[in-house]
């Protein structure tokens, strides 16, 4: 809700400076107070939500578009193709996602596009690994054999019959990956590798509030609370989707 609303309206201009009103506590004029430059914290939280959520969604889209086809190819074709792709996936998974993103960000520099590319590439192996295991269990099913018997090509069978049947686990994984991306984006912004200022993100707001923790604790409390509640909500959404889309969980 913050992200959608912040894209079209905020109580104040999140970039407007007002030095005489800096570090004001929450009040009727500024519900969540002002920061070190007199900017309205609520407006910046709403603007930051739009940025963080947009980066998270774009990251999941990149990881899914890259990882799902790789996983389908590896799991369905098997043999040398599977072994070659599995080696590449395992090699990439040996690096923690955040460290790989940090390395890519060091090369590409800070920026929204750089974060999306770095995190998307970092999470691609996880998506490919999960899709590969799903497809390996699907390729022996009767509808895949029936597609081959009717003369459909391998590419057609993978695109029309195998991939749609793997959609439910992919959706659940993508939901969890959105939470990972949101947390990683906040971490990168906290380290100064995120979207450059004066643009607001939750991680950069958390970092900027550290020097004022003793005199203006709301500068860190509110961004931290937003990150925490967003991650909790995403986890609950992922669990609900798993229960809804997994026939075994639904029957239970």
């Amino acid at each position: 809700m913050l992200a959608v609303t912040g894209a079209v309206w905020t109580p104040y201009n999140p970039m407007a400076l007002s030095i005489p009103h800096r570090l004001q506590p929450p009040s009727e004029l500024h519900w969540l107070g002002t920061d070190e430059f007199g900017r309205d914290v609520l407006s910046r939280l709403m603007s930051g939500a739009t940025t963080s959520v947009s980066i998270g969604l774009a990251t999941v889209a990149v990881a899914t578009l890259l990882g799902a086809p790789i996983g389908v190819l590896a799991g369905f074709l098997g043999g040398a193709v599977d072994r070659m792709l599995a080696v590449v996936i395992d090699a990439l998974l040996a690096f923690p996602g955040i460290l790989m993103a940090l390395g890519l960000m060091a090369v590409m520099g800070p920026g929204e596009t750089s974060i999306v590319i770095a995190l998307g590439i970092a999470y691609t192996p996880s998506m490919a690994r999960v899709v590969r295991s799903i497809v390996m269990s699907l390729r022996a099913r009767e509808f895949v054999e029936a597609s081959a018997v009717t003369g459909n090509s391998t590419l057609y069978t993978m695109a029309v019959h195998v991939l749609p049947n793997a959609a439910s686990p992919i959706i659940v994984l993508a939901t969890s990956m959105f939470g990972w991306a949101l947390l990683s984006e906040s971490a990168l912004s906290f380290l100064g590798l995120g979207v450059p200022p004066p643009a607001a993100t939750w991680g950069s707001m958390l970092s900027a509030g550290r020097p004022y923790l003793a005199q203006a604790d709301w500068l860190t409390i509110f961004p931290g609370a937003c990150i925490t509640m967003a991650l909790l909500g995403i986890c609950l959404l992922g669990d609900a989707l798993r229960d809804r889309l997994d026939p075994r969980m639904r029957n239970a």
Side-chain angles (χ1 to χ4, degrees):
M1 291 175 62
L2 282 175
V4 172
T5 306
V8 295
W9 176 84
T10 55
Y12 296 90
N13 184 349
M15 308 296 180
L17 306 182
S18 181
I19 301 301
H21 301 93
R22 65 189 300 269
L23 298 180
Q24 288 189 351
S27 62
E28 293 183 359
L29 289 178
H30 302 281
W31 288 1
L32 301 184
T34 60
D35 65 6
E36 68 275 20
F37 296 109
R39 298 171 297 193
D40 183 62
V41 172
L42 176 59
S43 300
R44 290 184 62 78
L45 282 175
M46 295 173 67
S47 177
T50 303
T51 303
S52 298
V53 170
S54 300
I55 291 175
L57 292 175
T59 297
V60 172
V62 170
T64 303
L65 291 175
L66 293 178
I70 295 174
V72 172
L73 287 173
F76 191 83
L77 297 180
V81 174
D82 181 32
R83 289 193 295 272
M84 180 183 66
L85 293 176
V87 168
V88 175
I89 292 172
D90 290 339
L92 293 175
L93 286 174
F95 296 93
I98 189 65
L99 291 182
M100 186 183 298
L102 281 172
L104 293 172
M105 288 292 296
V107 174
M108 294 184 292
E112 188 170 340
T113 303
S114 299
I115 294 178
V116 171
I117 294 174
L119 292 179
I121 294 175
Y123 292 141
T124 292
S126 299
M127 177 64 73
R129 185 73 174 270
V130 172
V131 174
R132 171 181 174 270
S133 63
I134 296 169
V135 172
M136 290 180 69
S137 65
L138 289 175
R139 67 182 181 184
R141 300 284 294 273
E142 291 80 3
F143 62 85
V144 176
E145 297 179 359
S147 179
V149 169
T150 55
N152 294 326
S153 64
T154 302
L155 183 61
Y156 180 88
T157 302
M158 288 190 295
V160 176
H161 296 291
V162 175
L163 190 57
N165 281 278
S168 296
I170 291 175
I171 291 173
V172 175
L173 176 60
T175 304
S176 300
M177 192 172 288
F178 176 64
W180 307 345
L182 188 63
L183 184 60
S184 297
E185 184 276 328
S186 298
L188 291 173
S189 297
F190 184 83
L191 296 174
L193 295 174
V195 180
T201 64
W202 290 345
S204 62
M205 293 178 67
L206 198 63
S207 178
R210 284 186 303 164
Y212 306 95
L213 189 58
Q215 63 183 117
D217 53 4
W218 59 86
L219 296 182
T220 53
I221 290 176
F222 293 128
C226 285
I227 295 172
T228 302
M229 289 189 293
L231 293 177
L232 176 61
I234 292 168
C235 290
L236 294 175
L237 176 61
D239 289 343
L241 288 174
R242 181 196 60 190
D243 297 343
R244 182 70 177 175
L245 298 176
D246 190 335
R248 294 170 297 180
M249 298 296 295
R250 186 167 61 246
N251 293 334

